[in-house]
Each structure stands twice: as structure tokens, then as C-alpha cells.
Amino acid sequence: MADALANEVEGYLIARAEQEEARREAEELCSRLPWLTTAQAEDLTRHHIDQRLEVTRRILRRSVRRADQLHQAYEARYAELRRTLLKRHAACGCALLACATAIGAATAVLGR
């Protein structure tokens, strides 16, 4: 519960920081266009913020999809490595048991 809340707060703070950065960029752009009226500057600022946040959303969605793909690939590879390791351990165990059985049989035959 606490982790989920911390993640939500962190996400909110990151979103606010991104929005403020977009606002600063828009205001800087408007300052280089002195002929804009106040209404035009406000409209341009609003459009720039909306566009910038949409680009950020698309980038984040792509990043999340890629992270999921990598997670699935690593999980599959990990499972494959675990299966291989289990097979090797089982084969070594069988070989060890066969050797112990052979030694025991040889000892029994030679001990008579």
C-alpha cells in the first residue's frame, strides 16, 4: 500500500515537473514573438503544453511497452536457464548414483 502511494506521488510530481517545463518552454517561445497579443500568447502556450505533454505520454507508453517486452524476454530466458540447470543437476545426480552403484557392486564382488 505504501509503495503504491509512493509511486503515485512520484508519478504526480514527475508529471507536474514535465508540465512546468513545457510551460517554461512555451513562455520562452512567446517571449521571442513580441508581436503576439496576450490572447495569442496564452493560446500558443496552451497548445504547446498540450502538444508537449502528448509527446511525453507517447514516449512513456513506448518505454513501458519496451520494458514489458524486455521483462518477458528475460523471464523466458531465466526459465530456460533454470530448466537447463535442473536437467544438468539431474544428469549429474544420475551419473553419481550410477557410479556409486557400480562401485558398490564391484566392492561386493571383490569382497567375496
Side-chain angles (χ1 to χ4, degrees):
M1 177 73 174
D3 286 342
L5 180 60
N7 289 338
E8 191 171 329
V9 169
E10 181 183 22
Y12 173 78
L13 293 174
I14 290 170
R16 289 295 299 160
E18 189 67 24
Q19 188 174 19
E20 285 305 311
E21 180 66 23
R23 180 174 302 288
R24 279 191 296 277
E25 289 174 0
E27 288 171 354
E28 182 181 318
L29 175 63
C30 289
S31 72
R32 289 182 282 168
L33 305 172
W35 59 85
L36 293 177
T37 66
T38 302
Q40 290 171 327
E42 288 172 358
D43 194 40
L44 180 60
T45 299
R46 184 176 48 78
H47 283 293
H48 177 79
I49 291 170
D50 290 346
Q51 184 178 12
R52 167 75 188 278
L53 293 179
E54 184 55 39
V55 168
T56 300
R57 282 186 200 99
R58 283 197 312 263
I59 290 170
L60 289 173
R61 285 185 196 116
R62 258 186 261 135
S63 296
V64 167
R65 278 194 305 272
R66 183 64 181 142
D68 286 342
Q69 290 170 348
L70 289 173
H71 180 75
Q72 291 171 4
Y74 287 130
E75 284 286 326
R77 180 66 177 142
Y78 178 72
E80 180 184 330
L81 290 172
R82 281 182 45 198
R83 280 190 300 276
T84 302
L85 186 62
L86 179 61
K87 288 176 187 176
R88 287 180 184 171
H89 276 82
C92 287
C94 289
L96 186 60
L97 183 60
C99 287
T101 302
I103 290 171
T107 304
V109 168
L110 292 175
R112 289 185 199 175

